[in-house]
């Protein structure tokens, strides 16, 4: 079984993906307490180091390095500030890459990185990884096209060490019209779950910003993008449809019950299945939403990892 080191691991979306692809995760890392607790509740065999990555001096040898460094500076839902210091955490990933010299690496981040005002940061990442000795390719993939019941576009950067003389080929979509499998809808993903899971969803009123756009898709569709902020979590399809009144002003079509997705539903819509959320002092409702919303869908990461060439012998 090929080995892997995971950085900026969160609650384990990337690692659940590479475990399904046949890798053994030797070490994981993140700075968030509850992310580590959720990860270990689901993957107790991994050595998870909760620390600022800049303080980690040595990494174990491994054949694959994966990382999903934070993306608040690139995010479509954030301030989109290209000057934020958090945008340079790829240099810490590169430091580990140079030290470990794995056969391959996989990076995931928000698709907003390809926007014109962030393009220089993406190009610098590609430059740094190429200078580290890797044949590097990047592409934006949609999780819905790989068996996830959610529209979630993310950029992947994949590199194979130059001495193999191999260029990575991204996987072709597997789900959707005229493909091998049908789209996985919300009905497939969450219709068996409780209709009104008290205490498991953010139930404060829908503020003006929430009502500035359509937040609901129907049962026979995929979900809108799962986010880390519980206030902005999309609507459960049991909620009434939304109708547009004017630019950036929407309302519910009728006064029927409406709610956001629960954090457990969000985990299903991310492709985790039934994630174990341990009860600890860090286990607030907000933290549960945050670790799920920050994660990469495991089936999407699995598809990218499975497409790596067989260079593990």
């Amino acid at each position: 079984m090929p080995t892997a080191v995971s950085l900026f691991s969160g609650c384990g979306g990337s690692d659940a993906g590479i475990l399904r692809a046949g890798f053994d995760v030797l070490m994981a890392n993140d700075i968030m307490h509850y992310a580590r607790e959720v990860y270990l509740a689901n993957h107790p065999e991994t050595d998870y180091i909760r620390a600022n990555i800049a303080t980690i001096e040595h990494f174990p040898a491994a054949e694959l390095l994966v990382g999903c460094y934070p993306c608040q500076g690139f995010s479509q839902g954030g301030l989109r500030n290209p000057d934020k210091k958090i945008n340079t955490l790829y240099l810490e990933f590169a430091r580990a890459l140079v030290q470990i010299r794995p056969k391959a690496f996989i990076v995931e981040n928000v698709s907003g990185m390809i926007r014109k005002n962030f393009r220089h940061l993406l190009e610098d990442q590609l430059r740094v990884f190429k200078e580290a000795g890797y044949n590097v390719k990047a592409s934006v993939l949609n999780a819905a096209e790989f068996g996830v019941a959610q529209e979630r576009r993310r950029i992947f950067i994949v590199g194979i060490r130059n001495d193999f003389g191999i260029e990575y080929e991204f996987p072709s979509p597997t789900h959707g019209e005229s493909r091998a499998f049908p789209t996985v809808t919300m009905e497939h993903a969450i219709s068996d779950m409780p209709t009104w899971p008290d205490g498991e969803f953010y139930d404060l009123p829908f503020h003006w910003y929430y009502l500035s756009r359509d937040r609901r898709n129907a049962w026979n569709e995929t979900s809108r993008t799962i986010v880390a902020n519980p206030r902005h979590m999309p609507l459960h399809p049991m909620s009434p449809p939304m109708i547009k009144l004017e630019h950036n002003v929407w309302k519910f079509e009728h006064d029927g019950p409406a709610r956001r997705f629960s954090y457990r539903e969000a985990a299903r819509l991310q492709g985790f299945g039934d994630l174990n959320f341990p009860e600890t002092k860090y286990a607030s409702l907000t933290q549960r939403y945050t670790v799920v919303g920050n994660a990469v869908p495991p089936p999407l990461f699995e598809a990218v990892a499975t497409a790596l060439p067989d260079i593990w012998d």
Side-chain angles (χ1 to χ4, degrees), residues 202 204-211 231 233 235 239 252 258-260:
Y202 185 86
L204 292 185
F206 303 105
H207 50 81
W208 68 267
Y209 182 79
Y210 194 88
L211 298 174
R231 292 197 307 163
M233 184 61 61
L235 287 165
S239 307
F252 292 109
R259 69 169 175 86
R260 301 166 178 87

PDB file of all heavy atoms in Angstrom, residues 202 204-211 231 233 235 239 252 258-260:
ATOM      1  N   TYR A 202     -28.650  25.331  11.890  1.00  0.00           N
ATOM      2  CA  TYR A 202     -28.648  26.737  12.284  1.00  0.00           C
ATOM      3  C   TYR A 202     -30.048  27.297  12.051  1.00  0.00           C
ATOM      4  O   TYR A 202     -30.522  27.342  10.912  1.00  0.00           O
ATOM      5  CB  TYR A 202     -27.616  27.481  11.440  1.00  0.00           C
ATOM      6  CG  TYR A 202     -27.389  28.924  11.795  1.00  0.00           C
ATOM      7  CD1 TYR A 202     -26.474  29.282  12.789  1.00  0.00           C
ATOM      8  CD2 TYR A 202     -28.064  29.936  11.122  1.00  0.00           C
ATOM      9  CE1 TYR A 202     -26.236  30.611  13.097  1.00  0.00           C
ATOM     10  CE2 TYR A 202     -27.830  31.269  11.414  1.00  0.00           C
ATOM     11  CZ  TYR A 202     -26.916  31.600  12.410  1.00  0.00           C
ATOM     12  OH  TYR A 202     -26.679  32.925  12.714  1.00  0.00           O
ATOM     13  N   LEU A 204     -31.448  30.388  13.224  1.00  0.00           N
ATOM     14  CA  LEU A 204     -31.726  31.807  13.377  1.00  0.00           C
ATOM     15  C   LEU A 204     -32.367  32.351  12.097  1.00  0.00           C
ATOM     16  O   LEU A 204     -32.298  31.730  11.038  1.00  0.00           O
ATOM     17  CB  LEU A 204     -30.443  32.559  13.714  1.00  0.00           C
ATOM     18  CG  LEU A 204     -29.850  32.254  15.101  1.00  0.00           C
ATOM     19  CD1 LEU A 204     -28.653  33.152  15.373  1.00  0.00           C
ATOM     20  CD2 LEU A 204     -30.884  32.396  16.202  1.00  0.00           C
ATOM     21  N   PRO A 205     -33.016  33.518  12.170  1.00  0.00           N
ATOM     22  CA  PRO A 205     -33.763  34.037  11.011  1.00  0.00           C
ATOM     23  C   PRO A 205     -32.889  34.229   9.771  1.00  0.00           C
ATOM     24  O   PRO A 205     -31.666  34.369   9.851  1.00  0.00           O
ATOM     25  CB  PRO A 205     -34.301  35.383  11.523  1.00  0.00           C
ATOM     26  CG  PRO A 205     -34.350  35.232  13.011  1.00  0.00           C
ATOM     27  CD  PRO A 205     -33.183  34.368  13.364  1.00  0.00           C
ATOM     28  N   PHE A 206     -33.540  34.254   8.627  1.00  0.00           N
ATOM     29  CA  PHE A 206     -32.861  34.486   7.358  1.00  0.00           C
ATOM     30  C   PHE A 206     -32.680  35.995   7.181  1.00  0.00           C
ATOM     31  O   PHE A 206     -33.647  36.722   6.970  1.00  0.00           O
ATOM     32  CB  PHE A 206     -33.686  33.900   6.208  1.00  0.00           C
ATOM     33  CG  PHE A 206     -33.962  32.435   6.371  1.00  0.00           C
ATOM     34  CD1 PHE A 206     -35.227  31.992   6.744  1.00  0.00           C
ATOM     35  CD2 PHE A 206     -32.961  31.499   6.164  1.00  0.00           C
ATOM     36  CE1 PHE A 206     -35.486  30.637   6.894  1.00  0.00           C
ATOM     37  CE2 PHE A 206     -33.214  30.147   6.313  1.00  0.00           C
ATOM     38  CZ  PHE A 206     -34.475  29.709   6.682  1.00  0.00           C
ATOM     39  N   HIS A 207     -31.449  36.456   7.296  1.00  0.00           N
ATOM     40  CA  HIS A 207     -31.181  37.894   7.243  1.00  0.00           C
ATOM     41  C   HIS A 207     -31.205  38.398   5.798  1.00  0.00           C
ATOM     42  O   HIS A 207     -31.327  37.628   4.841  1.00  0.00           O
ATOM     43  CB  HIS A 207     -29.840  38.216   7.905  1.00  0.00           C
ATOM     44  CG  HIS A 207     -28.708  37.369   7.412  1.00  0.00           C
ATOM     45  ND1 HIS A 207     -28.035  37.610   6.242  1.00  0.00           N
ATOM     46  CD2 HIS A 207     -28.143  36.245   7.944  1.00  0.00           C
ATOM     47  CE1 HIS A 207     -27.102  36.690   6.068  1.00  0.00           C
ATOM     48  NE2 HIS A 207     -27.147  35.855   7.074  1.00  0.00           N
ATOM     49  N   TRP A 208     -31.052  39.697   5.627  1.00  0.00           N
ATOM     50  CA  TRP A 208     -31.195  40.313   4.305  1.00  0.00           C
ATOM     51  C   TRP A 208     -30.188  39.769   3.300  1.00  0.00           C
ATOM     52  O   TRP A 208     -30.505  39.585   2.126  1.00  0.00           O
ATOM     53  CB  TRP A 208     -31.072  41.841   4.400  1.00  0.00           C
ATOM     54  CG  TRP A 208     -29.682  42.308   4.771  1.00  0.00           C
ATOM     55  CD1 TRP A 208     -29.200  42.577   6.010  1.00  0.00           C
ATOM     56  CD2 TRP A 208     -28.599  42.532   3.863  1.00  0.00           C
ATOM     57  NE1 TRP A 208     -27.887  42.939   5.958  1.00  0.00           N
ATOM     58  CE2 TRP A 208     -27.482  42.939   4.655  1.00  0.00           C
ATOM     59  CE3 TRP A 208     -28.437  42.447   2.481  1.00  0.00           C
ATOM     60  CZ2 TRP A 208     -26.242  43.249   4.089  1.00  0.00           C
ATOM     61  CZ3 TRP A 208     -27.206  42.738   1.922  1.00  0.00           C
ATOM     62  CH2 TRP A 208     -26.126  43.142   2.719  1.00  0.00           C
ATOM     63  N   TYR A 209     -28.959  39.496   3.767  1.00  0.00           N
ATOM     64  CA  TYR A 209     -27.966  38.988   2.820  1.00  0.00           C
ATOM     65  C   TYR A 209     -28.349  37.596   2.337  1.00  0.00           C
ATOM     66  O   TYR A 209     -28.190  37.267   1.170  1.00  0.00           O
ATOM     67  CB  TYR A 209     -26.578  38.979   3.456  1.00  0.00           C
ATOM     68  CG  TYR A 209     -25.504  38.500   2.502  1.00  0.00           C
ATOM     69  CD1 TYR A 209     -24.991  39.348   1.525  1.00  0.00           C
ATOM     70  CD2 TYR A 209     -25.023  37.200   2.554  1.00  0.00           C
ATOM     71  CE1 TYR A 209     -24.024  38.912   0.630  1.00  0.00           C
ATOM     72  CE2 TYR A 209     -24.058  36.753   1.666  1.00  0.00           C
ATOM     73  CZ  TYR A 209     -23.562  37.616   0.711  1.00  0.00           C
ATOM     74  OH  TYR A 209     -22.622  37.182  -0.180  1.00  0.00           O
ATOM     75  N   TYR A 210     -28.869  36.790   3.246  1.00  0.00           N
ATOM     76  CA  TYR A 210     -29.302  35.452   2.857  1.00  0.00           C
ATOM     77  C   TYR A 210     -30.388  35.532   1.793  1.00  0.00           C
ATOM     78  O   TYR A 210     -30.429  34.732   0.854  1.00  0.00           O
ATOM     79  CB  TYR A 210     -29.823  34.692   4.078  1.00  0.00           C
ATOM     80  CG  TYR A 210     -29.980  33.206   3.848  1.00  0.00           C
ATOM     81  CD1 TYR A 210     -28.919  32.340   4.076  1.00  0.00           C
ATOM     82  CD2 TYR A 210     -31.175  32.662   3.376  1.00  0.00           C
ATOM     83  CE1 TYR A 210     -29.040  30.978   3.857  1.00  0.00           C
ATOM     84  CE2 TYR A 210     -31.312  31.304   3.154  1.00  0.00           C
ATOM     85  CZ  TYR A 210     -30.232  30.469   3.388  1.00  0.00           C
ATOM     86  OH  TYR A 210     -30.354  29.117   3.152  1.00  0.00           O
ATOM     87  N   LEU A 211     -31.264  36.514   1.918  1.00  0.00           N
ATOM     88  CA  LEU A 211     -32.374  36.682   0.979  1.00  0.00           C
ATOM     89  C   LEU A 211     -31.995  37.495  -0.258  1.00  0.00           C
ATOM     90  O   LEU A 211     -32.861  37.915  -1.022  1.00  0.00           O
ATOM     91  CB  LEU A 211     -33.555  37.338   1.688  1.00  0.00           C
ATOM     92  CG  LEU A 211     -34.137  36.522   2.852  1.00  0.00           C
ATOM     93  CD1 LEU A 211     -35.207  37.325   3.579  1.00  0.00           C
ATOM     94  CD2 LEU A 211     -34.699  35.193   2.371  1.00  0.00           C
ATOM     95  N   ARG A 231     -24.630  30.475   8.687  1.00  0.00           N
ATOM     96  CA  ARG A 231     -25.646  31.455   8.302  1.00  0.00           C
ATOM     97  C   ARG A 231     -25.947  31.398   6.810  1.00  0.00           C
ATOM     98  O   ARG A 231     -27.045  31.719   6.379  1.00  0.00           O
ATOM     99  CB  ARG A 231     -25.203  32.878   8.662  1.00  0.00           C
ATOM    100  CG  ARG A 231     -25.127  33.161  10.144  1.00  0.00           C
ATOM    101  CD  ARG A 231     -25.107  34.656  10.392  1.00  0.00           C
ATOM    102  NE  ARG A 231     -24.065  35.337   9.627  1.00  0.00           N
ATOM    103  CZ  ARG A 231     -24.025  36.646   9.409  1.00  0.00           C
ATOM    104  NH1 ARG A 231     -24.992  37.421   9.856  1.00  0.00           N
ATOM    105  NH2 ARG A 231     -23.025  37.182   8.724  1.00  0.00           N
ATOM    106  N   MET A 233     -25.529  28.630   4.843  1.00  0.00           N
ATOM    107  CA  MET A 233     -25.760  27.264   4.375  1.00  0.00           C
ATOM    108  C   MET A 233     -27.003  27.219   3.485  1.00  0.00           C
ATOM    109  O   MET A 233     -28.020  27.842   3.800  1.00  0.00           O
ATOM    110  CB  MET A 233     -25.950  26.343   5.584  1.00  0.00           C
ATOM    111  CG  MET A 233     -26.100  24.879   5.252  1.00  0.00           C
ATOM    112  SD  MET A 233     -24.681  24.139   4.409  1.00  0.00           S
ATOM    113  CE  MET A 233     -23.380  24.353   5.617  1.00  0.00           C
ATOM    114  N   LEU A 235     -30.488  26.076   1.507  1.00  0.00           N
ATOM    115  CA  LEU A 235     -31.764  25.595   2.024  1.00  0.00           C
ATOM    116  C   LEU A 235     -31.973  24.115   1.746  1.00  0.00           C
ATOM    117  O   LEU A 235     -31.628  23.609   0.673  1.00  0.00           O
ATOM    118  CB  LEU A 235     -32.914  26.376   1.387  1.00  0.00           C
ATOM    119  CG  LEU A 235     -33.102  27.816   1.852  1.00  0.00           C
ATOM    120  CD1 LEU A 235     -34.017  28.555   0.888  1.00  0.00           C
ATOM    121  CD2 LEU A 235     -33.658  27.857   3.264  1.00  0.00           C
ATOM    122  N   SER A 239     -37.870  23.152   1.970  1.00  0.00           N
ATOM    123  CA  SER A 239     -38.220  24.566   2.101  1.00  0.00           C
ATOM    124  C   SER A 239     -38.991  25.045   0.866  1.00  0.00           C
ATOM    125  O   SER A 239     -38.848  24.490  -0.221  1.00  0.00           O
ATOM    126  CB  SER A 239     -36.947  25.407   2.265  1.00  0.00           C
ATOM    127  OG  SER A 239     -36.147  24.912   3.315  1.00  0.00           O
ATOM    128  N   PHE A 252     -39.476  33.828  -0.003  1.00  0.00           N
ATOM    129  CA  PHE A 252     -40.075  32.504  -0.131  1.00  0.00           C
ATOM    130  C   PHE A 252     -41.427  32.617  -0.831  1.00  0.00           C
ATOM    131  O   PHE A 252     -42.185  33.566  -0.610  1.00  0.00           O
ATOM    132  CB  PHE A 252     -40.230  31.853   1.243  1.00  0.00           C
ATOM    133  CG  PHE A 252     -38.917  31.495   1.884  1.00  0.00           C
ATOM    134  CD1 PHE A 252     -38.445  32.196   2.987  1.00  0.00           C
ATOM    135  CD2 PHE A 252     -38.161  30.453   1.381  1.00  0.00           C
ATOM    136  CE1 PHE A 252     -37.240  31.865   3.576  1.00  0.00           C
ATOM    137  CE2 PHE A 252     -36.945  30.113   1.956  1.00  0.00           C
ATOM    138  CZ  PHE A 252     -36.491  30.825   3.050  1.00  0.00           C
ATOM    139  N   ALA A 258     -39.217  26.294   6.514  1.00  0.00           N
ATOM    140  CA  ALA A 258     -37.960  26.465   5.774  1.00  0.00           C
ATOM    141  C   ALA A 258     -36.801  26.345   6.738  1.00  0.00           C
ATOM    142  O   ALA A 258     -36.869  26.836   7.864  1.00  0.00           O
ATOM    143  CB  ALA A 258     -37.940  27.827   5.076  1.00  0.00           C
ATOM    144  N   ARG A 259     -35.752  25.688   6.287  1.00  0.00           N
ATOM    145  CA  ARG A 259     -34.546  25.594   7.116  1.00  0.00           C
ATOM    146  C   ARG A 259     -33.325  25.359   6.259  1.00  0.00           C
ATOM    147  O   ARG A 259     -33.394  24.937   5.106  1.00  0.00           O
ATOM    148  CB  ARG A 259     -34.666  24.476   8.151  1.00  0.00           C
ATOM    149  CG  ARG A 259     -34.662  23.060   7.582  1.00  0.00           C
ATOM    150  CD  ARG A 259     -34.502  22.057   8.716  1.00  0.00           C
ATOM    151  NE  ARG A 259     -34.598  20.668   8.279  1.00  0.00           N
ATOM    152  CZ  ARG A 259     -33.577  19.949   7.807  1.00  0.00           C
ATOM    153  NH1 ARG A 259     -32.370  20.502   7.695  1.00  0.00           N
ATOM    154  NH2 ARG A 259     -33.743  18.683   7.450  1.00  0.00           N
ATOM    155  N   ARG A 260     -32.170  25.619   6.840  1.00  0.00           N
ATOM    156  CA  ARG A 260     -30.889  25.319   6.211  1.00  0.00           C
ATOM    157  C   ARG A 260     -30.570  23.838   6.401  1.00  0.00           C
ATOM    158  O   ARG A 260     -31.152  23.166   7.249  1.00  0.00           O
ATOM    159  CB  ARG A 260     -29.782  26.177   6.839  1.00  0.00           C
ATOM    160  CG  ARG A 260     -30.009  27.684   6.729  1.00  0.00           C
ATOM    161  CD  ARG A 260     -29.062  28.413   7.677  1.00  0.00           C
ATOM    162  NE  ARG A 260     -29.169  29.860   7.601  1.00  0.00           N
ATOM    163  CZ  ARG A 260     -30.038  30.598   8.297  1.00  0.00           C
ATOM    164  NH1 ARG A 260     -30.900  30.013   9.125  1.00  0.00           N
ATOM    165  NH2 ARG A 260     -30.032  31.912   8.182  1.00  0.00           N
TER     166      ARG A 260
END
